Amino acid sequence: MSPFPLGRPARLAVLASGRGSNLEALLRAFPPEDPLGRVVLVISDRREALALQKAVQSGVEAEYVPWPKGEGGRARFEEVAGQLLCERRIDLVLLAGFMRILSPQFVGQWAGRILNIHPSLLPAFPGLHAQRQALQAGVRETGCTVHFVDAGVDTGPIVLQRRVPVLPGDTEETLSARILAQEHLAYPEAVRRVLRGEARP
Ligand code: GRF
């Protein structure tokens, strides 16, 4: 059962571990006055994540939630993050360079209300270093995918994909940059489709 469309601006949360360029694209695409939704919370498992700084600069609540080492670390993170998401009445969770694997229970609670972006044309090249995997496989084309998150890693129903060519002489860096430019278009567009109720899991 999808809750979208909501009939009011959605409250979006972004989970990010790193530099936060997709977060920036989402902040640009969903300014505070957008009738479809706005980013109201950014959570990172890394205190030094640039994503947290970018949130603060945009006047958006930024929360560092540690992911303690060892057994129980994930449960602790999920307890604290889950509580924040509930307290802030979040409608849709967006994983944007969030480098952790959430538990099936957590993802189940957010079924149909949690998205991820991945730098390949899934189901090809899931997991880490998707751009390197594409180069090593010698494909002529790759891209990015926005998908609903399910209990698997980079599985789950696809909302949209954007394609890029792999060019002769490409390195991981050049290919990643080409894909990233498309990610910044793909994620906001996918979020719009979900919020309008046009894409459901
Ligand atoms: C992106 O390539 C995204 O697809 C992957 O991690 C990277 C995050 O980049 N999941 P950024 O932090 O949004 O700049």
Side-chain angles (χ1 to χ4, degrees), residues 16-24 51 54 95-99 116-120 131 144-145 176 179-180 183-184:
S17 303
R19 77 192 145 181
S21 72
N22 277 289
L23 166 66
E24 273 183 287
K54 288 176 178 170
L95 307 184
F98 185 65
M99 300 305 288
N116 180 44
I117 186 155
H118 182 78
S120 76
Q131 303 92 335
C144 63
T145 303
S176 298
I179 296 172
L180 195 63
E183 292 185 38
H184 297 161

Side-chain angles (χ1 to χ4, degrees), residues 11 22 54 87 98 109 115-116 133 151 159 172 183 186:
R11 295 172 61 79
N22 277 289
K54 288 176 178 170
E87 283 174 6
F98 185 65
Q109 281 164 9
L115 302 178
N116 180 44
Q133 292 184 54
V159 179
E172 210 175 323
E183 292 185 38

